[in-house]
Amino acid sequence: DIVGMNYMAQAGYDPSAVLELWREMGGDRRQSDWLSTHPEPRLRMSDMARNLAPALKIYNDALDAGVRPRCRL
């Protein structure tokens, strides 16, 4: 998750959006760790929130360097 957040920041996407994405995907649900192949969504979200500051620095550095996402809707 953290590596992906940093990749998105390097590409000019706001990494804070990942937290909203997880909320929308039901990140506040609880699940049994032993039944899952991935950590509990709330643990993943808190890990991403703890690592948001470095990702925002990467994002701001990318914007300062002129990086902008190249996607169209």
Side-chain angles (χ1 to χ4, degrees):
D1 293 326
I2 305 309
V3 171
M5 207 164 64
N6 290 337
Y7 282 152
M8 97 187 247
Q10 289 172 349
Y13 293 93
D14 183 354
S16 61
V18 78
L19 296 173
E20 182 59 29
L21 171 72
W22 274 95
R23 277 187 214 98
E24 292 292 323
M25 290 184 0
D28 57 348
R29 289 186 318 223
R30 294 202 70 139
Q31 69 184 31
S32 174
D33 279 340
W34 66 274
L35 291 176
S36 177
T37 59
H38 292 80
E40 181 179 336
R42 290 193 307 171
L43 294 175
R44 292 175 81 171
M45 285 178 64
S46 78
D47 190 38
M48 287 183 278
R50 275 194 317 277
N51 288 281
L52 185 58
L56 285 171
K57 180 176 181 342
I58 293 168
Y59 171 63
N60 287 321
D61 290 347
L63 292 181
D64 289 345
V67 174
R68 297 293 182 269
R70 285 179 276 200
C71 61
R72 297 188 183 174
L73 298 175

